[in-house]
Amino acid sequence: MTDPHTMSNSKAVHAPAQIVRSTLAGAAVISLLLFPGCKKEATPAVEVTVQAEHPEQGSMSEHITVDAILAPLAQAAIEPKITAPVRKFYVQRGAKVKEGQLLAVLENTDLAAAALDNKGTYIAAQAAYDTATKAQVPEDVQKAELDFAQAKANLDLNQSIVKSRKQLFTEGAIPGRDLDTAQAALVQAQAAYDTAAKHLESMRAVTRESALKAAQGQLSSAEGKLKGADAQVSYSEIHSPINGVVTDRPLFAGETAAAGAPLLTVMDTSSLLAKSHVAQSVMQQMKVGDEAKIQIPGLADPVTAKVFLISPALDPGSTTVEVWLKIDNKAGKLKVGTPVKSSITGRTVAQAWKIPAAAILTGQDGSKSVMLVGSDGAAHRKAVTLGISDGDDVEVTTGLSPSDMVITGGAFGLDEGTKVKVGPAEADDEAKPAASKSGDKE
């Protein structure tokens, strides 16, 4: 049986603890009733402001952008063939010159003297040639013909004498001594005839031709020496091989110009060439005559150009193709050596579905996609296939329909299913602090 006194002491011990718990519970109830705002609220969904638009259909042309360097249409670094001091310059740097114009003269007194000496030799050879061809050789041939004719007449005479004396000797009218004398004279006449005939034959076939060749050879030799001397004199006169502008003149009058070293540089800058290198795959989209735009440093508006040349072979060092764009520069505002940006117009699609290039997202595997605003007000990723690009817009060949609302601004970093609303770009910065405050509340 429990002692009543013990039970009474036990109740006395537990009473304060019950009072404390009751007090705390009441305080909690009162705090909930007095401060209902302290209850934790559910986190609201973040809504991101983006810019979006439907795909547009229209004509677009591909633009290939490459770096280039301006070069002259033609250039001549004029190097003298002789080493001599510069007597006089006729042009300054920046002067406009025409093809064949005299630009400078080197000292040539000694060369002119040598040319004069060779001219005299040539004149003498010409006179000797005229004498040989018009007087000496014809006279020699004529003399040989006369000697032959005289020998033949003498032979004929002696033959008739011998014939008649034989007849007389047979008849006993003359002694045998007279016949022998006539026959001896005939032998001499025959020998003279044979000699004259051979001499005439050699004169006609060999001597005359050889004499003419000898005279011709002496004349040609003298003429060659004269032309060589005249050439040396001409090398002392520096002429421009092209139309253009003098861009360099490193020496002054009186200084010695070395053979093989540039004395003057002339460039044709009426048109310039923007030279660039492009990949072979890009080159396949170009052709000679394609339009292009060149952005020149310092000029607000680009200048027009055309594809002038596409190299038929790859550069062995870079395995790229050299492409030249021709630019009109009659005003002379563009300068050789200027680095420029060129945009070449390639393929054109008449009816292309296009979206801004900023809307395209590239995956780690190189795949292309865009973010769409779905009917549920959330962002959804969709894979697309691209075509040509004009720098601002890009063609979408598959993956989109005209009704799709493509996110063109603010798509970067969006997760699948993120709530979005379409608004101006300025509202995007205001949405970010709002989302941050919401997170601080949470």
Side-chain angles (χ1 to χ4, degrees):
M1 177 175 269
T2 305
D3 188 356
H5 179 72
T6 303
M7 293 181 60
S8 174
N9 290 337
S10 175
K11 289 179 180 180
V13 172
H14 290 287
Q18 291 177 354
I19 293 172
V20 172
R21 285 195 295 269
S22 299
T23 302
L24 293 175
V29 172
I30 292 172
S31 65
L32 290 174
L33 293 174
L34 295 177
F35 304 102
C38 292
K39 182 180 178 181
K40 188 175 181 180
E41 297 180 355
T43 303
V46 178
E47 191 175 48
V48 180
T49 301
V50 297
Q51 296 78 54
E53 61 183 56
H54 294 290
E56 295 182 358
Q57 189 177 32
S59 175
M60 69 179 300
S61 299
E62 184 176 35
H63 294 286
I64 304 163
T65 303
V66 293
D67 294 326
I69 298 291
L70 295 186
L73 184 63
Q75 176 177 334
I78 307 172
E79 302 174 353
K81 292 187 176 181
I82 60 174
T83 299
V86 179
R87 179 193 297 174
K88 186 177 181 180
F89 278 111
Y90 292 94
V91 292
Q92 297 287 343
R93 183 180 296 186
K96 293 183 178 181
V97 299
K98 294 186 177 296
E99 181 181 352
Q101 181 178 336
L102 181 63
L103 306 181
V105 174
L106 307 181
E107 290 293 345
N108 59 3
T109 306
D110 55 339
L111 300 177
L116 184 61
D117 178 50
N118 282 277
K119 184 176 182 180
T121 304
Y122 172 74
I123 293 174
Q126 180 71 54
Y129 176 79
D130 292 340
T131 301
T133 56
K134 298 179 181 179
Q136 183 177 351
V137 173
E139 287 178 1
D140 292 343
V141 173
Q142 185 178 11
K143 183 176 180 302
E145 290 175 346
L146 292 174
D147 291 342
F148 173 75
Q150 184 178 359
K152 187 175 187 306
N154 189 35
L155 176 62
D156 293 340
L157 176 61
N158 281 277
Q159 285 177 342
S160 66
I161 290 174
V162 169
K163 183 178 179 182
S164 63
R165 287 189 178 184
K166 279 184 178 181
Q167 181 67 32
L168 293 173
F169 177 74
T170 303
E171 296 176 353
I174 59 173
R177 184 179 63 252
D178 293 342
L179 178 60
D180 294 339
T181 301
Q183 287 178 339
L186 176 61
V187 172
Q188 292 177 354
Q190 183 66 50
Y193 172 80
D194 293 340
T195 301
K198 288 189 176 296
H199 179 65
L200 176 61
E201 182 181 357
S202 65
M203 283 295 297
R204 288 176 174 175
V206 181
T207 306
R208 179 177 182 276
E209 184 178 355
S210 299
L212 293 177
K213 286 183 178 180
Q216 181 64 51
Q218 292 176 357
L219 178 62
S220 298
S221 176
E223 184 180 7
K225 292 178 180 178
L226 175 60
K227 287 183 177 179
D230 288 340
Q232 291 292 316
V233 174
S234 68
Y235 294 156
S236 65
E237 297 181 350
I238 309 302
H239 296 264
S240 176
I242 60 174
N243 297 327
V245 178
V246 177
T247 59
D248 192 19
R249 203 200 79 177
L251 300 181
F252 292 93
E255 295 182 317
T256 299
L263 177 63
L264 291 155
T265 300
V266 178
M267 293 183 181
D268 182 359
T269 58
S270 60
S271 295
L272 296 183
L273 299 175
K275 296 184 178 181
S276 61
H277 287 79
V278 301
Q280 184 181 8
S281 58
V282 176
M283 180 273 297
Q284 301 296 340
Q285 305 163 20
M286 303 179 187
K287 65 181 184 299
V288 174
D290 282 348
E291 298 289 338
K293 295 288 185 181
I294 307 294
Q295 190 64 54
I296 310 295
L299 296 183
D301 299 325
V303 297
T304 60
K306 285 189 176 183
V307 176
F308 180 68
L309 178 143
I310 299 176
S311 176
L314 295 179
D315 180 76
S318 60
T319 65
T320 57
V321 180
E322 188 170 15
V323 177
W324 294 0
L325 307 178
K326 189 175 182 181
I327 313 166
D328 181 71
N329 189 39
K330 290 185 175 62
K333 293 183 178 180
L334 309 182
K335 305 303 179 183
V336 172
T338 304
V340 297
K341 291 280 187 181
S342 59
S343 178
I344 305 170
T345 303
R347 296 173 297 174
T348 298
V349 179
Q351 296 295 327
W353 287 103
K354 52 186 177 180
I355 60 175
I360 303 300
L361 302 176
T362 304
Q364 293 182 350
D365 58 352
S367 60
K368 305 296 182 181
S369 61
V370 296
M371 298 297 287
L372 305 179
V373 179
S375 58
D376 56 355
H380 300 284
R381 185 180 297 270
K382 192 170 186 181
V384 294
T385 303
L386 305 181
I388 66 174
S389 172
D390 63 1
D392 296 325
D393 297 331
V394 63
E395 178 194 14
V396 178
T397 56
T398 59
L400 289 182
S401 63
S403 61
D404 288 334
M405 182 66 73
V406 181
I407 297 177
T408 59
F412 183 77
L414 280 181
D415 294 327
E416 178 73 20
T418 301
K419 291 294 183 180
V420 295
K421 66 175 181 178
V422 179
E426 292 75 15
D428 192 34
D429 293 336
E430 299 174 2
K432 291 179 182 177
S436 177
K437 291 176 183 177
S438 174
D440 292 343
K441 267 186 176 181
E442 182 178 349

